Amino acid sequence: MSFLINHKDHIFIAGSSGMVGSSIKKTLLKKGYGNQSLGGKILCPNRKELDLTNFKLVEEWVQKNQPSVVIIAAAKVGGIYANLSNPFDFILENLKIQTNLIEISWKYRVRRLLFLGSSCIYPKNAKQPIKEECFLDGILEETNESYAIAKIAGIKLCQALREQHGFDAICLMPTNLYGPEDN
């Protein structure tokens, strides 16, 4: 399956105000997606408009807006100190965000789902350059372990939905990122 989208798609970018999500939004708009005269929409609710950790609110929003494509760029992120000081917050909030979005996307028959993971899912001492086969093949970096575990759970949830239900979920692992809208 390919991750093709068209100008008629209603594209929900979860996390559209963050660094990666805002870049995705900007690129899609530049390429002509979201042009309502062609039938398309780019849907970008902010945190005040939609609490992604609340299953009921996300379900109601998806039911109302009917996206055909969902891009999950939303996550609780932070530096080493934040990750080490708040491991519970990082694992719980990220599990809620991605699980809600993935399950509801499947339930409401979203045509395509893109889940953005992280390179921190790979073992701390993975041979360089890292190969995909290294996934789950060693100890994670302890400074972001909770974040990594949540991302691994999202990847596995997408894989399970694809295997069991044929759901079109694609997982991408960006490497280190920086740029506009970074915090």
Side-chain angles (χ1 to χ4, degrees), residues 10 35-36 44-45 54 64 74 88 95 114 126 140 149 169 174-176:
H10 292 194
N35 185 331
Q36 291 186 8
C44 299
N54 184 312
K64 177 183 175 191
F88 173 81
L95 283 171
L114 174 62
L140 299 169
I149 288 170
T175 57
N176 291 340

Side-chain angles (χ1 to χ4, degrees), residues 1-5 9-15 24 52 58 61-62 67-74 96-117 151 153-162 166-173:
M1 288 182 220
S2 63
F3 191 77
L4 296 177
I5 57 175
D9 280 321
H10 292 194
I11 304 167
F12 172 21
I13 306 170
I24 292 169
L52 298 173
V58 175
W61 188 92
V62 167
S68 51
V69 175
V70 172
I71 300 170
I72 304 175
K96 284 182 178 182
I97 289 168
Q98 65 201 30
T99 302
N100 289 346
L101 290 166
I102 294 166
E103 181 182 355
I104 291 165
S105 293
W106 169 69
K107 182 177 178 180
Y108 287 89
R109 296 189 171 114
V110 165
R111 195 179 81 250
R112 305 235 188 294
L113 177 107
L114 174 62
F115 176 72
L116 295 174
K151 289 296 184 177
I155 293 163
K156 287 301 191 178
L157 183 56
C158 288
Q159 287 176 346
L161 272 172
R162 178 179 282 277
F167 184 66
D168 191 2
I170 298 166
C171 301
L172 298 177
M173 300 315 116

Side-chain angles (χ1 to χ4, degrees), residues 75-92:
K76 178 175 182 62
V77 297
I80 292 171
Y81 181 76
N83 274 271
L84 286 172
S85 302
N86 305 289
F88 173 81
D89 296 345
F90 275 83
I91 195 166
L92 184 64

